[in-house]
Amino acid sequence: VRLVMSTSTVDPFASLRRHANVNRDEQKHINAILSALTEVIKEKGSQPTPTAYFALLTTSLIDGRQKTLDETTAILKLLSVVLPHVSDAVLRTKYSVFANILLQMIEKNLPLPALLKPIILITGRIIKSQDHRIPWAQQPNLMSLYQSMLGLSLDSRPKIRNTAQEALVIIGSTGGEGIKKQISPSTQQVCEQIFLQANSNDFQNATHLISALKKFLPYLSDDTVFSISISMLTLISKIRDSILTGNVFECFSELFASAGPSHEILDKIYERILKVKTPQKDIPTLIAHGRIVTDGLLKLKSTKHIVDVFTAMFQLLKTEDPKLGQETAENLKEMIIEFVDKKLVDQISSDSSLVPVSVLQQIISILEGSLTYAYQAQWGRILLLIASLFKKLGTESSELLDGLLKQLAELHESKEFSYPDQLEAALGTAVASIGPEKFLEILPLNLDGINHPKRLWVLHLIRKYVQGADLSFFTRELIPLATALRENGDASNLRHSNQIWDLFPTFCGQPLPSLAENFQHAAKPLGLALTEHEESRMPICLGLTRVITETKKMIDEGRVISKRKQKQKQKEKDDARNQEAFGSCLSDKVELTHEEATNILKSLALYSKNFLPCLFNLLAPTPIHQRPTILRAVEAYVSISDASLVNTFFKSVATKLLEATTTKEEAVEMDEEMEEDEGKKNKKAKSPRTDKTHFLTDLAVAFVEYLEPSTVNFLYKIIKPFLDPKNEDKTLEKKGYKVLNRICELHPDFVRNNITELKEMLINTLMTSSSAAKKIRLKCLGYILDNLPKSAITQQVDILGEVIMCVKETNAKARSAAYDVLVQVAYLMSSREEHSQDSMELADNLKEFFTILIAGLAGTTPHMISASIEALSRITYEFKDSELLSDPKYADQFLNTMIVLFNTNSKEITKSLLGFCKVAMTALPPQVIRKNLPKLMKGLGHWATESKNRFRAIIKHILERCIKKCGYEPVERLFPSEHHKLLAKIKKVKEKEIKKKMEKRDNKEKKDKNKAYEKMMFEEDKDYSAKSKEKEKKKKNNEDLLLQEDFEQVVDFLDPRSINRVKSADSTKKQKPDYFPVNSQGKIVITDKDNKKSKRNKSDNMDTGVLKDDFVEDEKKDKTEKTENSSGKRKRFDFDQDDRKQNKFGKKSQKNLPKKQRSEPVHSGQQYTSKKAKGDVLRPGKLEPYAYIPLQPKFLNKRQKSQSIKQFKPYTKKNK
């Protein structure tokens, strides 16, 4: 004990101490006792260890002093917390003390859950600490304590029951055969007794026991586990209840997931589970049974039941229930992934007549028979299962699943198939698994279309799902096919040829080890296709680029494997018996050794001297939008070519480029002659020589990275004339800057050696360069800044002019580049002293940079001033946390300088200044904002009166930030009074937001409190809550079902078709009644839409009494409508109102109609029409006859004149 007290430093009450300030009586008692115990331990000179706390708590519990309920509860809770941290040896010494006390407490405090919960936890820990090698019969009260835990695990109170189940897990987790022998007999006896007593009317205790066994069953002995399992299976066969059955199956799932019972016992239990018959209409039970069958099969890893289970479970896919179909498909997929391996393939004999059909063949046969109409509702999920089987079998799929693949092809060719996406996924997985070659052997293209339909969709599948394939097949089969189709000359065949060539990038998507050898045979046909067939050039260039870049990336990223790892993988591959998964799905990543990847690049580089000239020659005839693809192929091939060969080719390119630029005068004369010959139509077209200069310049970019330093200088001299702003070809200028940018990026030594010349060149062409080259020029400036010495501050300042002006460019990328350069210069200037770390020196350097930018505010044009303001805004935001801007004195001067600009009349300057104010609200100290608030409000008020309100939104945003910084009253006092409405609106919106936020928080707190209270007071039994809800749902569904009546025919309830008459109760409300309305005398009222054209006999007319009654009813109706109008406004009468009320019987509401189709609220006067003669009549209780049509502006529209005249025709006479 002393050893434990001296070495244990764990604080078991850390969580209690963290919640010491909780205002609850129970927590207060616990904290008070804990504080007292800690003081007593410290007074004795001991350390507050778990053992010390345990000794004092035990003494307090058995001292015989009368204690209150709160004190006893606090002591027991502290004991339950500290016991897990006390050693078993200490607890064994105190067992005799605890045994009798715990039994007495359990019997005495059964009605008190607050006391009973810690007692249960203490009991579980005490039982676990004992030496279970000694029989429990020799240890007094130990079996009684355990049996009390079993009894409490069946308690009707959920919290007590859950705590007792937790204690049982604590006892069982002791481990060893000793504890199993002690607890298994009594547990088995209790379980069999409870299950035997259960019946269909009362099985509550059985449900509670099963809930306890979910976690406790694996800790029992094998014989006990088997016996209890048989009892549970007998129970669910006796009591047909879906919830009880689901709990039993969940218990078995936990059992199979554990490591407790032996494999033999689990196998016996699994065989009994397979014999359980579940009702076909009980969907939850079917789902639970399918899950446990799958879990058990995966646990046992035995194939002797796989066929029976797969067959039985596949029959469930005939259901139309989506949930059952989804769960069943997931179970079947797990079986395929787990059990389909090399062993099953080896069982397939070449002569199937001599041996029984293998497991894999039976699974394939089941899947082949699943594409019938019996499984139509689950075809989508079955197709995904087929895709899983294709992926698992890999290359073996071509021999085993060829029949299934042909079935899928037939479904694809039928246009009425309901699951096209899942079908395409299955076929795509197949082609990715077995490869395009074997796939096309089973499903040929049939491009002739003579005996079979064309399968062009196969080309789409290959292009979409295959990432890398054997290039020899493409060279041997597909290239000759594409050539033959092209030679045919038909338009459709030409299109098919192009589709075949589009597959070449797919074959090159992932480099395979065989590519090094296969490319030797593919090089010649690829070269011929490049030169002769225009349509094949882009796919070939894409394929070459992809295979080179992907192989280089694998080497650079270290995705190639070493020789040692290669040998290990080869050994695993050869040992097929130990290999669970096999086959290679071509969609997976292929691993290459470093040697294989290097050989691929070498084999490609051997043909550099052939492909590079061919690609060079393609640039001229290729359209401009396709040239980047060729240039990327050139750059990729240059990256793997020999350095001497690269220099040779570059010299040739440079020579041609130099020739094209030195004969400028001749080029101009040729351009003029061409323009005179071709006329005005081609004046804007580029001349051949100009176009040649452009693509040669682009070609030079591909060589820059791999050039020697001397060659780089030569290239710079060639492109230097292109950078002259006097050059009229602005496109050539932009391309020249691209070359320069590439040189600066990849050759920093060249930049350092020529930095003065480069800087002067860029500064001298500051104002005259084209706007298209701004972005690239700024990138060049960034590279120059990286190579400048930090002390060269003047060189950095000289280039700021163009950068500041570029922040106003319309191109977003150019603006972003300008801001990046500004920030780069700021950081360089703030830390230009290489060995200085003084914060004051850094602040002075940054201050100097701000001074340079502020000098731009004295510019002569609003554009320059606006650009300077935006540059200052960006730098202010970047250095908002710096010491310079944190200094109130400097920040005050800086802000004063900027606010003065509000006096300008330029809207461009004002717009930039308002943007700066937004940044200042965040970046500058609050005291500086408050000090300059009067000037700021005056400036904002000056522009708030701007006529077109261009800046109203941004001024409102600035005012919101000012109110947040300085308060509402100072802002209101200083802001012009004519704009106080704007401030009032801001305040109102803010108050609404705060109020809404507070209400949301209060509602959440109330809701949480109500939930906590309901959970405490009305917590349901979780084992029966689901059952009661399901019963209520079934009851509700039955109540909501009605039988549709037919007054003409008698319903035959024995007829199966009578189920079609069952409908929902709510549906009757939405159906239009099939009877005519009647008046007060019971007569049918038939409404006539056109009273003027209808001619009625005198005998059909109602008498005056009836008319009077009808009008009285109409008057009452009008009164009720007035009372329903709660808004208090006058409601205009609408004669179409009755028709619109019929919307509830299925007509569309006019709110959903377009504006032009809505009927206008008019009073046509038709209710005053006489039914016996022409003219109007007085109606009782009504006004004098009148017609009302609201005048609307659309009546004045000349285009709607005819419609307006038609609307007024019934009420006006035409003048003759």
Side-chain angles (χ1 to χ4, degrees):
V1 176
R2 291 177 182 175
L3 179 61
V4 174
M5 291 179 60
S6 61
T7 58
S8 180
T9 58
V10 178
D11 185 10
F13 307 110
S15 60
L16 294 176
R17 299 183 198 278
R18 284 197 300 269
H19 300 88
N21 297 325
V22 177
N23 191 16
R24 285 167 46 193
D25 294 338
E26 180 184 2
Q27 190 68 30
K28 288 180 180 179
H29 283 291
I30 292 175
N31 293 334
I33 293 176
L34 183 60
S35 300
L37 293 175
T38 306
E39 291 179 2
V40 170
I41 292 173
K42 291 182 178 179
E43 287 177 359
K44 292 182 178 181
S46 302
Q47 295 292 329
T49 59
T51 306
Y53 282 113
F54 168 71
L56 287 178
L57 288 170
T58 304
T59 303
S60 301
L61 185 65
I62 62 176
D63 59 359
R65 183 176 59 85
Q66 189 69 24
K67 303 179 188 64
T68 63
L69 180 63
D70 294 335
E71 291 177 349
T72 306
T73 303
I75 293 173
L76 289 173
K77 285 193 174 182
L78 290 173
L79 262 175
S80 65
V81 173
V82 79
L83 278 181
H85 303 276
V86 180
S87 65
D88 292 344
V90 175
L91 294 179
R92 288 171 190 166
T93 59
K94 296 294 183 181
Y95 170 73
S96 58
V97 177
F98 272 101
N100 294 326
I101 294 177
L102 289 174
L103 282 174
Q104 294 174 5
M105 283 187 172
I106 291 172
E107 295 176 359
K108 183 179 179 181
N109 299 299
L110 276 176
L112 301 175
L115 276 175
L116 203 54
K117 285 178 63 177
I119 291 172
I120 292 171
L121 294 175
I122 293 170
T123 304
R125 181 69 183 93
I126 291 294
I127 295 175
K128 179 182 178 181
S129 64
Q130 303 309 305
D131 187 2
H132 301 292
R133 293 172 296 181
I134 303 173
W136 281 13
Q138 301 178 12
Q139 303 184 50
N141 297 327
L142 195 57
M143 182 60 71
S144 300
L145 288 174
Y146 176 72
Q147 290 178 348
S148 65
M149 293 296 99
L150 284 175
L152 289 172
S153 66
L154 309 179
D155 196 272
S156 59
R157 293 166 290 184
K159 291 184 178 180
I160 299 300
R161 185 171 65 250
N162 294 336
T163 307
Q165 293 173 5
E166 183 182 349
L168 289 176
V169 173
I170 292 173
I171 296 170
S173 62
T174 305
E177 293 297 327
I179 187 66
K180 289 184 178 182
K181 290 180 181 180
Q182 305 293 346
I183 64 177
S184 293
S186 57
T187 306
Q188 180 179 345
Q189 182 180 359
V190 171
C191 292
E192 291 177 351
Q193 182 180 358
I194 296 294
F195 293 152
L196 187 62
Q197 294 174 355
N199 54 61
S200 58
N201 297 324
D202 183 15
F203 52 90
Q204 182 177 3
N205 287 338
T207 305
H208 295 333
L209 182 58
I210 292 169
S211 178
L213 290 173
K214 287 180 183 179
K215 296 181 180 180
F216 184 57
L217 187 60
Y219 299 112
L220 302 177
S221 63
D222 290 351
D223 295 338
T224 303
V225 169
F226 180 73
S227 177
I228 294 175
S229 299
I230 299 303
S231 300
M232 286 192 294
L233 293 175
T234 305
L235 177 67
I236 62 176
S237 62
K238 180 176 67 172
I239 303 175
R240 294 290 182 178
D241 184 81
S242 59
I243 296 179
L244 179 66
T245 306
N247 288 333
V248 171
F249 288 154
E250 288 180 9
C251 182
F252 284 129
S253 294
E254 295 289 339
L255 180 65
F256 284 120
S258 67
S262 63
H263 192 277
E264 292 76 11
I265 293 296
L266 291 178
D267 194 13
K268 292 180 181 179
I269 296 172
Y270 186 74
E271 290 179 354
R272 296 298 182 95
I273 292 174
L274 291 178
K275 297 178 181 179
V276 174
K277 296 182 180 180
T278 54
Q280 294 300 315
K281 295 183 179 180
D282 192 353
I283 301 301
T285 303
L286 288 173
I287 293 174
H289 186 259
R291 186 69 259 172
I292 182 58
V293 167
T294 305
D295 291 343
L297 197 63
L298 297 178
K299 173 71 175 180
L300 297 174
K301 298 184 181 301
S302 174
T303 58
K304 65 180 180 179
H305 302 297
I306 179 66
V307 176
D308 296 334
V309 173
F310 199 89
T311 304
M313 196 168 293
F314 213 91
Q315 295 300 317
L316 298 178
L317 290 178
K318 292 181 179 180
T319 180
E320 295 183 358
D321 186 78
K323 189 173 182 181
L324 177 59
Q326 177 68 26
E327 294 293 333
T328 305
E330 289 293 333
N331 295 335
L332 292 171
K333 184 178 178 180
E334 291 183 9
M335 293 182 196
I336 290 173
I337 294 173
E338 180 67 25
F339 292 103
V340 176
D341 53 11
K342 187 66 175 177
K343 294 178 182 178
L344 292 185
V345 176
D346 292 341
Q347 293 175 7
I348 300 176
S349 174
S350 59
D351 189 357
S352 59
S353 61
L354 300 178
V355 295
V357 180
S358 67
V359 173
L360 184 56
Q361 286 175 323
Q362 294 182 60
I363 292 175
I364 295 172
S365 177
I366 294 171
L367 289 173
E368 288 177 349
S370 64
L371 298 176
T372 58
Y373 283 99
Y375 301 92
Q376 185 178 6
Q378 306 297 335
W379 272 351
R381 297 184 174 92
I382 291 173
L383 288 171
L384 296 180
L385 288 177
I386 294 173
S388 301
L389 185 60
F390 271 112
K391 189 171 183 179
K392 187 67 178 178
L393 287 174
T395 55
E396 300 287 342
S397 305
S398 59
E399 299 178 1
L400 300 175
L401 304 179
D402 54 346
L404 192 57
L405 189 58
K406 291 177 181 178
Q407 279 187 296
L408 297 180
E410 292 176 1
L411 290 175
H412 192 280
E413 291 167 0
S414 63
K415 299 181 180 179
E416 298 179 356
F417 190 66
S418 306
Y419 303 92
D421 296 338
Q422 292 86 341
L423 179 60
E424 182 180 328
L427 288 168
T429 307
V431 70
S433 301
I434 67 179
E437 182 176 0
K438 294 182 178 180
F439 191 88
L440 290 174
E441 288 178 3
I442 301 172
L443 300 175
L445 293 174
N446 296 329
L447 295 180
D448 52 4
I450 298 175
N451 297 325
H452 301 281
K454 295 181 180 180
R455 294 195 180 102
L456 294 174
W457 50 269
V458 174
L459 300 178
H460 166 72
L461 287 177
I462 295 173
R463 186 168 60 253
K464 183 176 180 179
Y465 289 94
V466 176
Q467 293 296 326
D470 188 7
L471 191 60
S472 62
F473 171 70
F474 187 86
T475 307
R476 186 179 65 256
E477 300 292 340
L478 296 182
I479 291 181
L481 178 60
T483 305
L485 290 172
R486 183 177 183 82
E487 291 175 353
N488 194 349
D490 188 9
S492 61
N493 289 333
L494 184 61
R495 185 170 61 254
H496 301 338
S497 174
N498 297 337
Q499 291 176 348
I500 292 174
W501 275 112
D502 288 340
L503 298 180
F504 182 71
T506 300
F507 278 76
C508 299
Q510 217 172 63
L512 301 178
S514 60
L515 182 62
E517 181 181 356
N518 294 334
F519 191 77
Q520 299 176 6
H521 306 286
K524 185 176 180 179
L526 291 176
L528 292 175
L530 273 175
T531 55
E532 297 178 0
H533 308 314
E534 182 179 353
E535 292 78 7
S536 62
R537 291 171 183 171
M538 294 303 106
I540 293 174
C541 291
L542 286 172
L544 293 175
T545 306
R546 186 175 296 181
V547 69
I548 293 173
T549 54
E550 187 65 26
T551 307
K552 289 179 61 180
K553 190 184 295 184
M554 293 178 69
I555 296 175
D556 296 339
E557 295 178 358
R559 284 192 279 140
V560 293
I561 55 178
S562 61
K563 290 184 178 180
R564 181 179 179 183
K565 192 174 182 181
Q566 172 78 2
K567 293 180 180 179
Q568 183 179 358
K569 283 183 173 290
Q570 186 65 31
K571 184 179 180 181
E572 293 176 357
K573 187 176 180 180
D574 295 338
D575 191 6
R577 294 181 178 274
N578 299 329
Q579 192 178 20
E580 296 182 1
F582 65 99
S584 62
C585 179
L586 296 178
S587 61
D588 298 334
K589 292 291 183 182
V590 178
E591 290 184 343
L592 301 176
T593 63
H594 190 278
E595 183 180 357
E596 290 172 344
T598 306
N599 290 335
I600 291 174
L601 294 180
K602 287 181 179 179
S603 64
L604 291 169
L606 288 175
Y607 298 93
S608 297
K609 59 183 178 181
N610 303 104
F611 277 101
L612 283 176
C614 183
L615 294 172
F616 296 162
N617 296 330
L618 292 179
L619 285 171
T622 302
I624 295 177
H625 67 277
Q626 293 181 350
R627 286 180 183 174
T629 304
I630 300 176
L631 290 171
R632 284 192 290 270
V634 170
E635 187 172 2
Y637 237 114
V638 167
S639 65
I640 63 172
S641 301
D642 185 62
S644 59
L645 185 64
V646 171
N647 284 326
T648 303
F649 279 126
F650 175 74
K651 289 178 181 179
S652 176
V653 173
T655 302
K656 293 181 180 180
L657 182 59
L658 193 59
E659 291 176 356
T661 54
T662 52
T663 58
K664 186 177 180 180
E665 296 180 356
E666 297 178 0
V668 171
E669 293 178 359
M670 291 178 62
D671 294 344
E672 292 177 354
E673 292 177 359
M674 185 188 67
E675 290 177 1
E676 291 176 359
D677 294 340
E678 298 184 2
K680 296 180 179 180
K681 186 176 180 179
N682 294 328
K683 277 188 177 180
K684 295 183 179 180
K686 294 181 181 179
S687 66
R689 187 172 294 275
T690 304
D691 185 58
K692 181 179 179 181
T693 307
H694 288 175
F695 73 72
L696 286 174
T697 308
D698 290 333
L699 195 57
V701 176
F703 285 88
V704 170
E705 185 176 359
Y706 311 99
L707 296 180
E708 298 177 354
S710 59
T711 314
V712 172
N713 292 325
F714 178 59
L715 177 60
Y716 173 68
K717 292 178 181 179
I718 295 175
I719 65 162
K720 189 174 180 181
F722 302 168
L723 311 179
D724 189 359
K726 297 179 181 180
N727 187 1
E728 297 180 357
D729 191 352
K730 300 303 179 183
T731 304
L732 186 60
E733 180 186 0
K734 182 179 179 181
K735 292 182 181 296
Y737 275 113
K738 284 185 178 180
V739 178
L740 180 61
N741 177 62
R742 192 72 172 159
I743 292 173
C744 294
E745 178 185 2
L746 300 172
H747 298 278
D749 293 335
F750 170 81
V751 178
R752 285 190 288 268
N753 296 332
N754 301 274
I755 193 166
T756 304
E757 182 182 355
L758 292 173
K759 188 177 72 67
E760 289 179 356
M761 186 267 296
L762 291 173
I763 293 175
N764 292 336
T765 57
L766 174 64
M767 304 303 297
T768 55
S769 61
S770 64
S771 58
K774 292 286 186 183
K775 181 185 72 174
I776 307 173
R777 281 174 54 85
L778 289 169
K779 288 184 178 180
C780 293
L781 286 174
Y783 292 123
I784 291 173
L785 288 172
D786 288 337
N787 291 279
L788 280 172
K790 294 184 177 181
S791 58
I793 184 145
T794 56
Q795 294 178 345
Q796 297 176 16
V797 174
D798 291 343
I799 61 177
L800 286 178
E802 181 182 10
V803 178
I804 293 174
M805 292 300 295
C806 284
V807 300
K808 297 288 290 182
E809 285 289 331
T810 56
N811 191 339
K813 292 183 179 180
R815 291 198 305 272
S816 178
Y819 285 131
D820 291 340
V821 174
L822 273 175
V823 173
Q824 185 180 4
V825 174
Y827 277 110
L828 288 172
M829 292 188 67
S830 62
S831 59
R832 66 178 186 269
E833 299 297 335
E834 297 183 1
H835 303 289
S836 175
Q837 300 295 332
D838 191 358
S839 60
M840 292 298 295
E841 291 184 7
L842 297 178
D844 291 341
N845 296 339
L846 186 60
K847 182 178 180 181
E848 186 177 352
F849 183 68
F850 269 95
T851 304
I852 295 171
L853 294 180
I854 291 173
L857 301 178
T860 56
T861 62
H863 189 75
M864 181 62 188
I865 298 173
S866 176
S868 300
I869 294 173
E870 294 191 8
L872 281 166
S873 301
R874 178 66 181 88
I875 299 302
T876 302
Y877 181 80
E878 183 70 26
F879 293 93
K880 60 182 178 181
D881 298 326
S882 63
E883 294 186 5
L884 179 66
L885 294 181
S886 301
D887 182 12
K889 184 177 179 181
Y890 180 78
D892 182 39
Q893 295 176 359
F894 180 41
L895 186 59
N896 270 316
T897 304
M898 303 300 293
I899 291 177
V900 173
L901 296 175
F902 273 119
N903 298 326
T904 184
N905 293 325
S906 172
K907 294 181 176 60
E908 185 179 8
I909 295 176
T910 304
K911 183 178 180 181
S912 301
L913 188 59
L914 291 174
F916 170 80
C917 291
K918 288 176 65 176
V919 176
M921 292 296 117
T922 305
L924 299 183
Q927 60 268 28
V928 176
I929 302 297
R930 287 191 289 267
K931 182 178 179 181
N932 293 276
L933 190 61
K935 299 177 183 178
L936 184 60
M937 292 297 104
K938 183 179 178 181
L940 293 176
H942 174 69
W943 283 100
T945 58
E946 204 266 331
S947 59
K948 295 186 179 180
N949 288 330
R950 293 184 178 90
F951 309 124
R952 185 177 181 85
I954 190 170
I955 289 174
K956 180 183 176 183
H957 187 70
I958 295 171
L959 288 173
E960 290 175 354
R961 294 194 178 188
C962 288
I963 292 171
K964 189 175 181 180
K965 287 268 187 180
C966 309
Y968 179 78
E969 294 181 357
V971 174
E972 185 183 24
R973 185 175 63 253
L974 297 173
F975 201 61
S977 58
E978 60 268 21
H979 303 299
H980 280 184
K981 288 184 179 180
L982 180 60
L983 292 176
K985 184 178 179 181
I986 294 173
K987 183 179 180 182
K988 186 177 180 180
V989 172
K990 190 66 178 177
E991 288 175 350
K992 282 185 178 180
E993 290 179 358
I994 295 174
K995 184 178 179 181
K996 190 175 181 181
K997 192 175 181 180
M998 295 293 291
E999 289 178 354
K1000 188 176 180 180
R1001 187 184 66 182
D1002 294 341
N1003 292 336
K1004 188 176 183 301
E1005 291 179 356
K1006 290 179 182 179
K1007 192 174 181 181
D1008 294 341
K1009 288 181 181 179
N1010 292 336
K1011 282 185 178 180
Y1013 176 77
E1014 291 177 0
K1015 184 177 180 181
M1016 178 185 70
M1017 297 294 295
F1018 311 109
E1019 184 176 13
E1020 295 183 2
D1021 190 343
K1022 66 179 182 180
D1023 296 324
Y1024 281 90
S1025 59
K1027 180 180 178 181
S1028 60
K1029 288 179 181 178
E1030 186 172 344
K1031 287 183 177 179
E1032 290 177 3
K1033 186 176 180 182
K1034 290 181 179 179
K1035 185 179 179 182
K1036 184 178 180 182
N1037 291 337
N1038 294 332
E1039 290 176 353
D1040 291 345
L1041 294 178
L1042 296 178
L1043 191 65
Q1044 186 175 1
E1045 298 181 5
D1046 191 344
F1047 296 103
E1048 297 180 357
Q1049 297 180 2
V1050 178
V1051 180
D1052 183 8
F1053 291 101
L1054 298 179
D1055 187 359
R1057 291 175 294 178
S1058 63
I1059 194 65
N1060 298 330
R1061 296 180 178 271
V1062 177
K1063 61 179 182 177
S1064 174
D1066 293 338
S1067 63
T1068 58
K1069 299 179 182 179
K1070 299 180 181 179
Q1071 294 180 353
K1072 186 174 180 179
D1074 55 355
Y1075 53 83
F1076 291 104
V1078 296
N1079 58 11
S1080 59
Q1081 293 184 355
K1083 295 183 178 181
I1084 296 174
V1085 178
I1086 300 176
T1087 305
D1088 193 354
K1089 296 183 179 179
D1090 192 359
N1091 291 331
K1092 290 184 179 181
K1093 295 182 180 180
S1094 65
K1095 296 181 180 181
R1096 300 184 180 180
N1097 297 327
K1098 294 181 180 180
S1099 60
D1100 295 333
N1101 296 332
M1102 293 182 291
D1103 57 1
T1104 56
V1106 176
L1107 287 171
K1108 186 175 180 179
D1109 291 338
D1110 291 340
F1111 289 134
V1112 170
E1113 289 177 3
D1114 292 339
E1115 186 176 1
K1116 290 180 180 179
K1117 186 178 179 181
D1118 292 340
K1119 288 181 179 180
T1120 57
E1121 288 176 356
K1122 286 184 179 180
T1123 57
E1124 289 174 0
N1125 188 10
S1126 59
S1127 62
K1129 297 181 180 179
R1130 279 193 298 174
K1131 188 174 181 181
R1132 183 180 295 165
F1133 181 77
D1134 189 359
F1135 78 98
D1136 292 326
Q1137 183 177 7
D1138 293 335
D1139 292 337
R1140 282 196 290 271
K1141 286 186 179 179
Q1142 293 179 3
N1143 292 337
K1144 64 182 178 181
F1145 298 112
K1147 291 184 179 181
K1148 292 185 178 179
S1149 175
Q1150 290 203 7
K1151 293 181 180 180
N1152 299 327
L1153 290 176
K1155 197 170 184 180
K1156 293 183 179 180
Q1157 298 180 15
R1158 297 180 188 175
S1159 60
E1160 299 297 337
V1162 299
H1163 191 293
S1164 63
Q1166 289 185 5
Q1167 60 179 329
Y1168 298 101
T1169 304
S1170 175
K1171 299 179 180 179
K1172 297 181 180 181
K1174 294 183 178 180
D1176 299 328
V1177 294
L1178 293 173
R1179 300 297 187 188
K1182 297 292 183 179
L1183 299 173
E1184 291 184 1
Y1186 74 96
Y1188 171 74
I1189 298 177
L1191 297 178
Q1192 295 185 1
K1194 71 178 184 179
F1195 292 156
L1196 302 177
N1197 192 340
K1198 294 181 180 180
R1199 290 175 294 182
Q1200 298 183 359
K1201 184 177 180 180
S1202 60
Q1203 296 180 3
S1204 303
I1205 292 173
K1206 288 180 182 179
Q1207 191 167 359
F1208 286 92
K1209 261 187 178 182
Y1211 317 108
T1212 59
K1213 292 183 179 180
K1214 187 174 182 182
N1215 295 327
K1216 296 184 180 179

